[in-house]
Amino acid sequence: MYLAKIFVTHKKSILDPQGEAIKNALHRLDYDSVTSVSQGKYFETKLDCDSKEEAEKITDSICDSLLANPNMETYRFEVEKVGD
Amino acid sequence: MYLAKIFVTHKKSILDPQGEAIKNALHRLDYDSVTSVSQGKYFETKLDCDSKEEAEKITDSICDSLLANPNMETYRFEVEKVGD
């Protein structure tokens, strides 16, 4: 069994209104040391695969076909072996 | 300047309907090796602090006061030093 940790974030060129809103809220709460905030999505998937390579291939395909919007978002992931 | 990577996930005891919906969608797309999916939030914040300890303290406080819902969610974070 493999665990994939997937991070989906906005592309750098895309405005992140949620991140801006959070930053403004933090400044109102007097967290003035916060200079930038970006919000993304985080997924953990468990995969029943025979090899790490297979798990990485499937995870990449899942990100492309469902989890990330290729027009606006970019993704990266880490795959590790875990017990059942 | 410090970069905090923050992961907010559902508590184990809380139903994750988004994760279930994604798992079902993946099964319809014939990704049968996926046995579980959980969806959470991912934040990256930049902090203008003098020490890593201070950055960690502020990040913990931010999570408690704004980013995570303590009733349903749990969080963890990593702080690392970065250039400006």
Side-chain angles (χ1 to χ4, degrees):
Chain A
M1 190 78 85
Y2 291 85
L3 174 66
K5 298 178 178 178
I6 302 164
F7 311 86
V8 177
T9 50
H10 283 82
K11 285 183 182 170
K12 289 247 182 291
S13 56
I14 300 283
L15 187 72
D16 176 2
Q18 284 179 305
E20 282 298 306
I22 293 168
K23 189 178 80 173
N24 293 338
L26 289 171
H27 286 177
R28 280 197 300 278
L29 292 169
D30 291 331
Y31 292 106
D32 293 321
S33 58
V34 176
T35 59
S36 78
V37 179
S38 74
Q39 174 164 12
K41 286 176 282 187
Y42 174 63
F43 301 92
E44 288 186 354
T45 62
K46 281 193 177 165
L47 300 127
D48 190 7
C49 295
D50 294 328
S51 71
K52 189 173 175 181
E53 287 68 34
E54 190 191 341
E56 286 175 342
K57 198 175 150 191
I58 291 173
T59 302
D60 198 45
S61 173
I62 286 172
C63 291
D64 268 334
S65 60
L66 195 73
L67 298 185
N69 172 353
N71 297 321
M72 296 176 61
E73 294 171 333
T74 182
Y75 63 86
R76 64 190 173 82
F77 58 83
E78 298 159 6
V79 172
E80 63 190 57
K81 194 165 172 47
V82 292
D84 299 334
Chain B
M1 190 78 84
Y2 291 85
L3 173 67
K5 298 177 178 178
I6 303 165
F7 310 86
V8 177
T9 50
H10 282 82
K11 285 183 181 171
K12 289 247 183 292
S13 56
I14 301 283
L15 187 70
D16 176 2
Q18 284 179 304
E20 283 297 305
I22 294 166
K23 189 178 80 174
N24 292 339
L26 289 171
H27 285 178
R28 280 198 299 278
L29 294 168
D30 290 331
Y31 291 107
D32 294 320
S33 57
V34 176
T35 59
S36 79
V37 179
S38 74
Q39 173 163 12
K41 286 176 283 187
Y42 175 62
F43 301 92
E44 287 186 355
T45 62
K46 280 192 178 164
L47 298 128
D48 190 6
C49 295
D50 295 328
S51 71
K52 188 172 175 180
E53 287 67 35
E54 191 190 343
E56 286 176 342
K57 199 176 149 189
I58 291 173
T59 303
D60 199 45
S61 174
I62 286 172
C63 290
D64 268 334
S65 60
L66 195 72
L67 299 184
N69 172 352
N71 297 321
M72 294 176 59
E73 294 171 332
T74 181
Y75 63 86
R76 65 191 172 80
F77 59 83
E78 297 159 7
V79 172
E80 62 189 59
K81 195 165 173 47
V82 291
D84 298 335

